[in-house]
Amino acid sequence: MNKKLYVPHPGHFDGLQQMLDSSKDIYSIYMAGSPDYIGTGRVNLGHAGLEEVARHTEYCHSKNVKIEMVLNSSCMGGQQLTTEGYNLIHWYISNLEDIGVDTVVVADPYLIEMIASEFNIPVVVSVLAFVDSPQKAEFFEQLGASSIVIDSNVNRHFDVLEAIRDAVDCELKLLVNEGCLYRCPFRYAHFNFFSHVNGPPPRPNVQDDYYYHKCLTLRINDPSLILKSPFIRPEDLKEYAHITDVFKIGGRSHFINWILNCVNAYAAESYDGNLMDLMDCPKDLVDLFNIPNKALDGAIEQWKKHSTVCHTCGYCERKISEIAQMYDHMGTTDEKLVQWNTITKKGIET
Amino acid sequence: MNPEQLLRIRADLEDGIRRLIGRAVMVIELDLFALPCSCSGYTANLRGFQVDDIEVFEEHILKLLESTAEAVGSPSNFVFARIIPGTQEIASVNVRNLCPRCYSDFASTSGKRPRPDIYILRLNKRKK
């Protein structure tokens, strides 16, 4: 299938060079800018100033690769609506326009309308605008969006995806490997938290990310939540061909090899390895679970039929019991994989 | 202590907790530390481990942490869990050989929860 892959920037120029030298399957690189202006909803390895953005843009263009700036704070504390905030954002976007970045991703409807009205940069609606219905998609298109990253919660709701496709003419993008919990209860609070941590000061100085801890605990206790997560397997991209040919790979906090492994998997539409290798989040669980991706061949047919009412379906619970393995004594000479469900209460060993 | 031994100790602690609570749990990082104040010890950062687990299995968890302390060669006169305040989530379990100043901070408190983020499994009080 012909497709356009949007790929995360690895955080530094040398890494960008290495990535673009290693893969010809990258359509666009996306990166965050400096957190001092708009900020972004996720963790990044680099905080590029305008000079650096210009350098990276020039390099990407020399390789016939596009560059997208991700300015998708889900909460800006209302600063965007102040005179000072407007002036700062306007100045920053003007600079990005002068530099020649290809697209700008934002989450706030105000910024979508403002950028679409006042600049000549195509504006993309972030996944953090949570567009999960044709009505919302129409709204953002009318504001001036040229592209919408659809809320990944509906990645397996083909009726909704088809309705969105029917409702709007703009480009649609699907985020394939976010790996978040389906209908995650922490989603809004967590992205708002990230937006402040990765946005203009004052930045909260927290010791522990409660939402991330809880997310891990839930999945460690119940790995079927990993399967319920609305990721799209490389093998299943073709199922979405009638919706879009534009796919975004998440992973702005990962190393180059990890990103390239994902690019290769999604470009080839096949991956023979641990599904957890491809998930942007939560990356720590790659050291706990081995879920052979190929064992999920055909699962898409079930997910198409039952994507919403898990308690009456039970497919993911059954499947994970069959296929999930857990690392035991990882990092030692005794390392082995055991079926995860063999860890059951057998009484206290004292 | 060489890297292989440290890796083995991490894996054994993880395995011990899993066997105890009958559930998957991750020791995501095991760190030996030394502080300028002269406190030293180890920290095991955990995922999937909760306050309920400590309350139910406290005696057995304590034994596990003590045997890990022995394996890393650290005295274990202060053993505690660090909790994300207001939640069930345990961020880490810690074994610390307290310096005189930090000892006086902790020894002047009472109860298992002297702070919202700390659950004390054991604090050896010194003789006056």
Side-chain angles (χ1 to χ4, degrees):
Chain A
M1 167 186 179
N2 284 329
K3 55 194 164 289
K4 296 171 183 167
L5 292 181
Y6 279 70
V7 175
H9 193 294
H12 60 304
F13 190 74
D14 290 347
L16 179 66
Q17 285 181 308
Q18 192 183 330
M19 282 223 325
L20 297 190
D21 285 345
S22 304
S23 176
K24 301 297 171 207
D25 296 310
I26 298 170
Y27 176 80
S28 178
I29 291 287
Y30 66 90
M31 66 185 290
S34 165
D36 291 337
Y37 304 110
I38 299 189
T40 179
R42 293 180 204 264
V43 174
N44 298 274
L45 292 181
H47 296 136
L50 285 168
E51 279 183 21
E52 256 191 291
V53 172
R55 186 179 177 213
H56 294 203
T57 301
E58 190 180 354
Y59 183 73
C60 283
H61 288 170
S62 75
K63 296 283 186 181
N64 289 321
V65 171
K66 294 188 181 300
I67 192 146
E68 180 165 89
M69 294 302 295
V70 186
L71 315 172
N72 62 343
S73 271
S74 58
C75 180
M76 300 169 71
Q79 286 302 311
Q80 72 277 28
L81 300 178
T82 65
T83 304
E84 298 79 15
Y86 169 84
N87 287 336
L88 183 69
I89 291 166
H90 197 277
W91 173 83
Y92 189 58
I93 303 291
S94 296
N95 275 279
L96 294 179
E97 187 178 44
D98 290 345
I99 284 168
V101 303
D102 294 287
T103 43
V104 172
V105 182
V106 288
D108 187 309
Y110 167 68
L111 294 184
I112 291 162
E113 181 165 358
M114 190 259 266
I115 296 170
S117 306
E118 300 186 353
F119 296 94
N120 286 319
I121 306 179
V123 61
V124 180
V125 180
S126 167
V127 75
L128 303 188
F130 311 112
V131 177
D132 60 357
S133 69
Q135 294 86 347
K136 262 194 205 175
E138 282 176 331
F139 168 79
F140 280 109
E141 188 176 50
Q142 283 160 14
L143 281 187
S146 69
S147 177
I148 298 171
V149 188
I150 295 175
D151 185 349
S152 46
N153 274 303
V154 297
N155 272 359
R156 294 175 185 173
H157 299 208
F158 280 80
D159 54 343
V160 176
L161 295 176
E162 286 158 7
I164 293 173
R165 180 65 289 168
D166 280 349
V168 295
D169 294 322
C170 68
E171 179 186 82
L172 299 178
K173 282 185 201 169
L174 291 170
L175 180 56
V176 292
N177 65 331
E178 185 184 45
C180 286
L181 293 168
Y182 176 62
R183 300 294 188 196
C184 176
F186 312 122
R187 198 162 175 80
Y188 302 116
H190 202 188
F191 282 122
N192 288 351
F193 162 68
F194 274 143
S195 295
H196 286 288
V197 169
N198 299 297
R203 299 182 183 114
N205 179 21
V206 300
Q207 191 166 11
D208 296 295
D209 178 349
Y210 162 78
Y211 311 108
Y212 190 58
H213 263 270
K214 207 74 185 171
C215 167
L216 286 180
T217 295
L218 288 169
R219 293 182 215 228
I220 290 169
N221 290 339
D222 178 8
S224 74
L225 295 173
I226 296 168
L227 291 196
K228 291 172 187 172
S229 156
F231 58 85
I232 299 173
R233 295 171 64 239
E235 291 81 354
D236 296 337
L237 289 188
K238 57 185 177 296
E239 302 287 338
Y240 295 84
H242 63 302
I243 308 293
T244 187
D245 61 350
V246 187
F247 300 99
K248 186 165 186 171
I249 294 171
R252 279 190 262 164
S253 63
H254 288 270
F255 290 113
I256 299 162
N257 284 349
W258 184 94
I259 297 171
L260 284 171
N261 185 49
C262 280
V263 170
N264 293 338
Y266 282 97
E269 297 180 32
S270 178
Y271 186 67
D272 192 5
N274 185 357
L275 173 75
M276 304 310 295
D277 295 340
L278 304 179
M279 294 295 106
D280 175 17
C281 175
K283 58 182 172 184
D284 304 287
L285 294 186
V286 74
D287 294 327
L288 181 65
F289 292 119
N290 178 50
I291 300 172
N293 177 53
K294 288 294 180 189
L296 293 169
D297 281 350
I300 186 76
E301 296 307 324
Q302 183 69 24
W303 292 333
K304 277 179 176 177
K305 281 188 283 183
H306 293 276
S307 58
T308 55
V309 193
C310 294
H311 70 281
T312 60
C313 170
Y315 173 79
C316 292
E317 280 89 350
R318 291 192 300 276
K319 193 72 181 172
I320 204 76
S321 287
E322 281 170 28
I323 67 172
Q325 298 168 308
M326 193 174 75
Y327 287 102
D328 183 48
H329 278 84
M330 194 180 204
T332 72
T333 50
D334 293 334
E335 178 178 314
K336 61 180 187 288
L337 282 164
V338 295
Q339 285 301 114
W340 88 271
N341 57 4
T342 58
I343 303 288
T344 53
K345 282 198 170 76
K346 290 174 182 163
I348 300 164
E349 294 184 10
T350 57
Chain B
M1 174 71 53
N2 62 39
E4 285 74 26
Q5 288 169 322
L6 195 57
L7 289 165
R8 166 71 59 183
I9 292 165
R10 185 213 68 82
D12 286 346
L13 176 60
E14 183 177 78
D15 185 55
I17 299 174
R18 285 177 183 176
R19 287 172 185 275
L20 197 55
I21 67 175
R23 253 195 5 251
V25 81
M26 285 181 89
V27 175
I28 209 157
E29 189 170 321
L30 177 67
D31 298 325
L32 300 178
F33 66 82
L35 304 182
C37 63
S38 81
C39 282
S40 63
Y42 76 83
T43 296
N45 292 311
L46 293 163
R47 299 292 183 268
F49 194 52
Q50 302 206 296
V51 175
D52 269 356
D53 299 321
I54 287 228
E55 286 177 343
V56 172
F57 296 107
E58 180 163 339
E59 187 188 330
H60 308 288
I61 296 284
L62 187 57
K63 272 189 194 166
L64 263 178
L65 298 178
E66 285 168 343
S67 66
T68 303
E70 205 171 301
V72 299
S74 168
S76 56
N77 55 38
F78 181 38
V79 183
F80 68 99
R82 201 172 57 74
I83 297 163
I84 300 180
T87 76
Q88 277 284 312
E89 296 298 305
I90 292 180
S92 64
V93 286
N94 306 261
V95 170
R96 185 156 164 176
N97 186 34
L98 290 165
C99 72
R101 191 183 72 202
C102 294
Y103 173 78
S104 64
D105 286 347
F106 284 104
S108 62
T109 63
S110 61
K112 288 193 167 300
R113 303 286 294 269
R115 292 191 339 207
D117 62 334
I118 286 185
Y119 183 107
I120 296 177
L121 287 95
R122 202 188 69 222
L123 172 60
N124 290 348
K125 296 266 175 118
R126 293 170 191 167
K127 287 177 186 167
K128 288 181 181 171

